[in-house]
Amino acid sequence: MDKILDALREELRKNADEKTRASSQRFFKEEIKVYGIKSAQVNKISKEIFKSIKFKSNKNEDKLFIFNLAEKLWQSGYLEESFIACNWVFSARKEFLPEDFKVFENWISKYISNWASCDTFCNHTVGEFIEMYPEFIAKLKEFAKSDNPWLRRAAAVSLIIPAKKGKFLDDIFEIAEILLLDAEDLVQKGYGWLLKVASQSHQKEVFDFVIKHKAIMPRTALRYAIEKMPKELKVQAMAK
């Protein structure tokens, strides 16, 4: 494991760019730790190193090995390493089991501290898991009530890809109602984004939800939710 991580980090250091590192911070309110590498290059390095890993024939053992690598990557605190952790864990998605959710929840609670890591992990890994085991939507509703804002954002953004497929509309509305008056703008943007994506398959239902709650819904969330709607619906939704 150490040899894999050493090789990975050597590649990251070689590809780090001071200009990219300096400009990265402007996308975040929080202080972030970065090498300074563009996303496309991070993905390229991630794929190259992953190909070099010699896996066993036991799929579950291989998954646990990937999870252990991911834990080390999360622990580093580097944004780029968090993206690689997300990529590698998602590669094991066919082997996900119900008990893996505790691992995912722990990573969000313990390591995620910015929207980019949250969205990269939750859109893909957690979203895929929820489609496999939809009973865990109940856990997302618990996330929505957490004191941790990244768990609250995770409650929404984990359903982005299922929402693109038209799934889980009632649950999406329930989570949006829990988060409705959240004071954190990144949480507002998270559930607003979820409603926007859901509106592409369920425009009327999402519009009705927005109209029902628009008197108290933060404008940030409202604007996100109606972004893909026709102009006449936007005008109605934005009217005081």
Side-chain angles (χ1 to χ4, degrees):
M1 184 180 294
D2 288 343
K3 286 182 179 180
I4 295 166
L5 294 172
D6 288 346
L8 173 66
R9 287 166 177 160
E10 178 61 24
E11 283 300 307
L12 291 171
R13 283 190 290 269
K14 283 197 307 189
N15 285 272
D17 172 69
E18 178 57 33
K19 185 178 178 182
T20 302
R21 190 188 68 78
S23 66
S24 297
Q25 183 61 56
R26 74 177 190 271
F27 298 105
F28 300 88
K29 292 191 300 182
E30 309 79 23
E31 192 70 31
I32 57 166
K33 184 179 175 184
V34 292
Y35 288 93
I37 310 171
K38 292 183 178 176
S39 295
Q41 187 63 23
V42 173
N43 289 335
K44 183 180 178 184
I45 293 168
S46 173
K47 288 175 184 177
E48 287 174 354
I49 298 295
F50 192 75
K51 284 179 186 175
S52 74
I53 300 173
K54 291 180 172 61
F55 290 112
K56 301 174 183 178
S57 56
N58 185 307
K59 295 289 187 182
N60 194 53
E61 283 186 20
D62 290 343
K63 179 192 73 174
L64 294 177
F65 183 70
I66 291 168
F67 280 17
N68 287 331
L69 282 168
E71 179 78 27
K72 297 289 187 183
L73 293 169
W74 282 116
Q75 286 173 0
S76 77
Y78 277 99
L79 186 68
E80 294 92 344
E81 292 194 30
S82 80
F83 293 162
I84 293 168
C86 294
N87 291 343
W88 289 3
V89 170
F90 188 65
S91 75
R93 59 194 177 277
K94 290 182 181 177
E95 314 310 320
F96 288 169
L97 295 171
E99 55 264 35
D100 294 333
F101 192 83
K102 287 184 179 179
V103 178
F104 301 158
E105 181 177 1
N106 182 61
W107 287 343
I108 300 168
S109 300
K110 198 170 178 181
Y111 301 123
I112 286 181
S113 60
N114 63 78
W115 63 265
S117 296
C118 184
D119 296 359
T120 303
F121 183 60
C122 294
N123 280 180
H124 302 289
T125 293
V126 182
E128 183 77 17
F129 180 92
I130 292 295
E131 289 197 63
M132 293 171 72
Y133 304 105
E135 63 271 23
F136 279 84
I137 288 180
K139 293 295 292 183
L140 296 185
K141 292 170 187 176
E142 290 179 21
F143 284 10
K145 298 171 185 176
S146 170
D147 291 336
N148 182 332
W150 302 113
L151 280 169
R152 300 201 304 276
R153 183 172 171 99
V157 301
S158 294
L159 292 179
I160 294 291
I161 291 178
K164 285 182 180 177
K165 302 172 185 178
K167 296 182 175 181
F168 306 135
L169 185 63
D170 290 342
D171 299 297
I172 287 168
F173 287 151
E174 189 173 339
I175 287 169
E177 285 191 334
I178 295 169
L179 298 174
L180 193 66
L181 299 178
D182 200 290
E184 292 286 342
D185 70 323
L186 284 169
V187 177
Q188 295 172 20
K189 289 174 181 177
Y191 85 77
W193 177 22
L194 178 60
L195 291 171
K196 174 175 68 177
V197 173
S199 76
Q200 293 172 48
S201 299
H202 303 284
Q203 182 178 278
K204 182 184 184 303
E205 292 91 337
V206 173
F207 178 74
D208 289 346
F209 178 90
V210 170
I211 292 297
K212 178 181 176 182
H213 296 288
K214 74 170 191 169
I216 59 170
M217 183 184 287
R219 301 299 268 187
T220 297
L222 191 152
R223 288 191 187 96
Y224 266 75
I226 65 174
E227 188 178 327
K228 296 291 185 181
M229 292 186 185
K231 184 177 178 180
E232 62 271 18
L233 297 185
K234 287 183 182 179
V235 170
Q236 290 183 57
M238 291 296 291
K240 296 286 186 180

